[in-house]
Structures are given as structure tokens and as C-alpha cells.
Amino acid sequence: MIGVALKTQQAALDLDVSFTLQNEVTALAGPSGAGKSSVLRLVAGLGRPSDARIDIEGQHWTQHHWPRPEARNVSLMFQGHHLFAHMSVSANLAYGVRRAAAPLSTDQRADIIATLGIGAILHRMPAQLSGGEKQRVALARALMPGPRLVMMDEPLSALDPDLRRATIGLLRRLQAQLAIPFLVVSHDWHDITRLADRVIYLQHGRVDYAGDVTTAMHRLHGVPPATQLMGRIEAGYFHAVFGAEELRIEGFAAHGDQARALVHVAADDIMLSLHPPSGLSACASVRAGITAINEAEGGFAHVHLTAGAHQLLSRITLGSVARLDLKVGMSVHALFKAAALARNTAY
């Protein structure tokens, strides 16, 4: 775990934040001017706060002991990539490795090159690269020194929808592979829901919320909470295991086969039935037990369910709760809308 506490006074920003980072993807969100990029720069050592404490792997950095950027072993990937124009891709990657105290092994670096698909462009110069290629090279350069923390400033903002979805999958796979914290600045909540495990939301230089993404969406934007399902895509179907059952949902052919796929399921897209589905277009279902029923705004209820190791959330009307006579402890069938799931997939 990494602990961060920063205070600084800038021309248009009074920053006073404190938060922790785990070995997961954390999104740093908030309106323009809230202090997101300032936090990244300070953690990277590209500025000096008036008061600070950063705890990272047994080291303690304060405003009185503020290591230089090159001594921190953290990586910051800027929005503009900042590749060395006079160096080839291969030389750009080697630069950070040469200066690192404990870079990734040769095999690990080869895995990153393969994962990011940049093996065929190692001889090129940055001017010969597309925007997407520059972004992948910059990401590889940030990872290869073996950092204890990877920070990225709007890494998805300049990408088209297809490349954006693929990059989200790459970031999640790389974070799981390296098992280090990723801190990613983003203003796009659709990206955040597919990429991040947690979100830190800044407002006027303060932490307004820190926690899971779906609660943040509900609290900050009124979007009903949601469920994330981890599974795989094979032959056009999404597969997820729920204890002894396996959910199998069609409509994923456009995604291709994926050994790991994360599907974001809005609470409105999970229907409940007392009986197995029959004669419905949304016929993918699993048995689930009701663990809680909470009244929500606008005549709705949030029904919390457990199916195997998965926690599900369904948003239905209070009238439906009454008609089905739903109670905690009951077993029901949770039905999934295939089209909605296929639109909200990352891998």
C-alpha cells in the first residue's frame, strides 16, 4: 500500500489531499482545475509541496526529505507522450532501463513489448509513429524500469473508440501482471467504469470521494450502481462462472476471443424472476440469493444478490418487489440483457 498526503498553495489551487493506493487501478477524477495533474507531478517529484508525507515500500518522503524524480522509482506517463525525438523506439525504451535501480528482467521487457504489439516498430523514430503507437511506446517506457507506482495523465483521451477499448484491456492486463498500483487521471466516466477498480474524486483541491467506482457514479452522477463480472470471451459468447453454474451470453463476436474480459453490468440491466426464463430475448440467467433489499429514490429498490463468488445488484421498481414478494434469503433467477453487456466490455 502507498500512502499519500500533500498540501501546497498554487496561484489558482489550494491543494490538501490524502489517500491510499493499493495494487490495483485507481482513477483520479474531478473537474478541470481540481488538482489531478498537480497530484501526479508532486508524487513524481516534479514540484515541492509545502507539507507532505508519502509512504512507499518502507520509505517516507516529507517536504524536508523530498527525493529527486530519478530517485523515486515511480513512472509518470504524460498526456503528450514526451518521447525523445532523436532516439529510436528501442533507444527510448532502453533509456529508462539504464537509469533504473531494479528494471524488469529481459524476459519481462520482452513480454511487455509483445503485449503492447510494438516489436515491429522498435527501429522507427517517433516522427514515424502514429498517435496510438506513440502512446504504446510511452507506456512501455514507463513500465520497463520496474517502477513501484505507475501514473498516467489522460492516457485514453486522444484515442478512437476501438483503440481506447483495446488500451483499457491492455492496461488492466499489465497491472494484473506487474501487481503494482496504477494511478490514472481521466475525465471520462465511461472509461473509468471499464478501467478502474477504485476512484478518487477531487473537488477544489480536496478529496470529495474515495471508494469503489459504482458508488462514485451513483453518488456523483445519480447513475444506478452496477456490477462487474470477470470472465472470458470465446466463439462470440461471454462466459462467467457462478459457483456450479456458468453464465453464457451471446452477442460478443465483435470482441474476438479473450482469455480475460471484464463486463460492466448496470443495475437496470439485471432483471429478476422467480422462475427460469422462457420465451424471452434476454434469456441468460443464473440463480442468485437475495442478501438485501434497499429502497432507492424515485420508487425503485436496489436488490443485492450473491451468485457463487459474484455480488450482483439489480434495480427494479418497488412495485416489482411487492408483486414478486421478494424477501431477503429468497432464491431468484437473475436475467442479463446481452446487448447492454456487450457494449460495456473491457479486456
Side-chain angles (χ1 to χ4, degrees), residues 52 61 63 96 140 142 165 167 193-194 228 240 245 250 257 265 303:
W61 306 335
Q63 70 274 21
R165 186 177 68 228
T167 302
T193 58
R194 295 183 296 167
Q228 289 189 333
E245 291 187 81
E250 63 181 338
D257 288 355
V265 191
V303 182

Side-chain angles (χ1 to χ4, degrees), residues 36-37 40-41 44 46 74-83 93 116 131-145 147 149-159 167 170-171 174 182-186:
K36 304 183 295 296
S37 295
L40 297 194
R41 294 181 64 85
L46 301 176
V74 302
S75 288
L76 172 56
M77 179 178 159
F78 293 97
Q79 190 172 355
H81 309 312
H82 291 213
L83 299 178
L93 300 182
L116 292 171
E133 288 170 337
K134 289 179 181 177
Q135 187 233 35
R136 283 179 281 151
V137 171
L139 178 56
R141 189 178 64 176
L143 298 175
M144 287 187 177
L149 166 66
V150 174
M151 299 181 291
M152 289 170 269
D153 195 355
E154 297 280 6
L156 306 170
S157 60
L159 305 181
T167 302
L170 282 173
L171 291 176
L174 287 166
F182 277 30
L183 181 61
V184 182
V185 166
S186 179

Side-chain angles (χ1 to χ4, degrees), residues 229 236-240 242 245-252 263 265 269-273 275-288 307 312 332-342:
L229 299 180
Y237 285 81
F238 172 75
H239 300 258
F242 291 78
E245 291 187 81
E246 182 177 71
L247 180 70
R248 186 170 178 265
I249 303 177
E250 63 181 338
F252 286 77
V263 173
V265 191
D269 293 327
I270 300 180
M271 300 179 290
L272 302 180
S273 172
H275 308 287
S278 177
L280 298 175
S281 59
C283 59
S285 71
V286 294
R287 290 191 67 83
L312 308 179
V332 296
H333 293 267
L335 283 62
F336 297 85
K337 300 177 182 178
L341 269 64

Side-chain angles (χ1 to χ4, degrees), residues 84 87-98 109 113 118-119 121-126 129 137 141 144:
F84 297 118
M87 294 184 182
S88 68
V89 169
S90 181
N92 265 276
L93 300 182
Y95 181 84
V97 172
R98 286 197 306 270
R109 298 199 299 270
I113 289 172
I118 59 174
I121 61 172
L122 294 176
H123 64 285
R124 294 187 194 171
M125 303 298 287
L129 304 179
V137 171
R141 189 178 64 176
M144 287 187 177

Side-chain angles (χ1 to χ4, degrees), residues 13 17 24 46 49 60 67 79 117 147 161 171 185 208 216 232 248 254 261 279 286 302 306 318 339:
L13 176 67
V17 298
E24 59 189 3
L46 301 176
H60 311 290
Q79 190 172 355
L171 291 176
V185 166
D208 186 59
R232 72 184 192 282
R248 186 170 178 265
V286 294
H302 290 153
T306 298
L318 290 171

Side-chain angles (χ1 to χ4, degrees), residues 250-262:
E250 63 181 338
F252 286 77
H255 294 275
D257 288 355
Q258 303 292 335
R260 181 185 185 277
L262 180 71

